[in-house]
Amino acid sequence: MKHFALALAMTASLATSATAASFGPLVEAAELSASLDTVEPVLLDIRNEGYEKGHADGALFAPYRMFRGPAENPGGLVDVEKLEAELEELGLEQDTPIVILSEGKTDTDFGSAARVYWTLKSTGFTDLSILNGGLESWKAAGLPVNATAESAFPSELELTFDDTWLATTADVSAVAAGESNALLVDARPADFFNGKKAHEAASRPGTLPTAINHTYTAFFKEGSPAMSTAIDLAALKASLGVEDGKDTVSFCNTGHWAAAHWFAVSEVAGVENAKLYAGSMVEYSQSGNEMANTPGLVQNLINQILN
């Protein structure tokens, strides 16, 4: 399956709308394998390293760093014009089925696929899926791998950012100050929520005022890189305290773990008004706004030594 051939076919039929059925937000390797020749999705290998040593046959190289902010704020939004140019080089079309492949070795790795999914959805791509278990599940299913770099005919895009699924620092600050009403969900492990640990780019440890802690790992069986698809919507709403009509905002350190949490809540469970605070605690901690669970200077020093 070579995507330059697919791109040629798309160029010849621009006036024809896509008829291929979506896989849904999560696709298993067996389902993908059975439909590769009929659906012909574009496969995006989002690993930052390793593509040239072997990748899913036909996959295009779209490294995670394309979808991330600068070192001082990794969760910050990417420049849409720059992203547009990079995705045009990959020949992407907004209505073409796209399947995102991460490494698939750990549950934290899933966050990269979810963040790419969220970014593409927010910029108008409409037929998106994540391969559950990533490249490792592809290999386990016996699907072909090669080391030949894939290319495609460039496309023409006009991307704009839709903030439907975005929460900003101003948004969460208003909630923290009691000026707005939303459910803030810290998707990090408890030590980050409790202020015992902090990301290296954060100016302070701690969490958002009013936030609850519900780690992204709740959606994975222990040790599995694949997300569970058996999410009970009613039970999830009850455990989080989700209220109809009220925003549910997932956040973490840099919008990576939280992207996995958002994906499970929004795309798999189908909770409405679910948003991702992209910049998360690194951005918020640098804003000077009030924080919760921030230890005193002495305790913070002790925590840093212990960690």
Side-chain angles (χ1 to χ4, degrees):
M1 181 181 60
K2 303 298 182 184
H3 281 291
F4 62 82
L6 174 58
L8 180 61
M10 291 191 296
T11 302
S13 58
L14 287 177
T16 303
S17 61
T19 58
S22 170
F23 293 110
L26 268 179
V27 60
E28 303 296 330
E31 179 188 359
L32 179 60
S33 174
S35 304
L36 281 174
D37 292 334
T38 54
V39 178
E40 293 188 312
V42 173
L43 307 178
L44 293 185
D45 186 323
I46 63 167
R47 297 173 298 157
N48 283 330
E49 298 178 352
Y51 177 86
E52 70 284 353
K53 296 179 180 179
H55 53 265
D57 186 39
L60 298 170
F61 184 46
Y64 187 39
R65 58 179 172 266
M66 284 172 48
F67 303 88
R68 297 295 274 167
E72 64 272 15
N73 185 17
L77 298 181
V78 296
D79 179 86
V80 173
E81 290 187 2
K82 181 175 182 294
L83 180 65
E84 178 182 287
E86 292 170 331
L87 297 183
E88 285 177 338
E89 285 297 310
L90 294 174
L92 298 192
E93 300 283 355
Q94 288 175 299
D95 59 354
T96 299
I98 295 172
V99 178
I100 301 162
L101 282 71
S102 60
E103 185 74 50
K105 289 187 175 180
T106 67
D107 56 29
T108 192
D109 177 64
F110 190 96
S112 57
R115 182 62 187 253
V116 172
Y117 179 107
W118 178 85
T119 303
L120 292 176
K121 180 172 183 172
S122 297
T123 49
F125 291 85
T126 59
D127 198 348
L128 300 169
S129 303
I130 292 175
L131 177 58
N132 207 10
L135 181 61
E136 291 301 307
S137 70
W138 174 278
K139 293 177 180 177
L143 293 169
V145 174
N146 70 59
T148 303
E150 304 288 347
S151 61
F153 287 106
S155 59
E156 291 188 10
L157 299 169
E158 288 191 16
L159 302 185
T160 57
F161 193 91
D162 181 351
D163 63 3
T164 299
W165 305 280
L166 170 69
T168 65
T169 295
D171 293 331
V172 298
S173 297
V175 177
E179 299 166 357
S180 182
N181 191 20
L183 174 63
L184 303 180
V185 185
D186 191 331
R188 299 175 298 172
D191 279 355
F192 287 96
F193 174 77
N194 293 325
K196 294 180 180 179
K197 289 185 177 181
H199 189 277
E200 60 185 10
S203 64
R204 294 169 286 167
T207 190
L208 296 177
T210 78
I212 65 168
N213 189 206
H214 185 259
T215 179
Y216 77 97
T217 57
F219 300 109
F220 297 82
K221 292 181 179 179
E222 186 175 357
S224 173
M227 178 172 283
S228 173
T229 56
I231 301 175
D232 186 316
L233 176 58
L236 178 64
K237 282 186 170 182
S239 65
L240 293 181
V242 172
E243 298 178 16
D244 291 340
K246 180 178 176 179
D247 290 347
T248 299
V249 180
S250 301
F251 69 94
C252 59
N253 287 320
T254 66
H256 176 92
W257 288 331
H261 192 278
W262 169 85
F263 181 87
V265 171
S266 174
E267 308 301 280
V268 180
V271 173
E272 296 181 354
N273 303 311
K275 297 177 182 289
L276 172 68
Y277 178 24
S280 284
M281 289 311 301
V282 165
E283 183 171 302
Y284 187 87
S285 71
Q286 297 169 356
S287 71
N289 288 307
E290 178 186 356
M291 290 176 57
N293 297 349
T294 299
L297 292 176
V298 174
Q299 186 60 52
N300 188 31
L301 179 60
I302 293 173
N303 290 342
Q304 291 183 47
I305 294 172
L306 292 177
N307 290 330

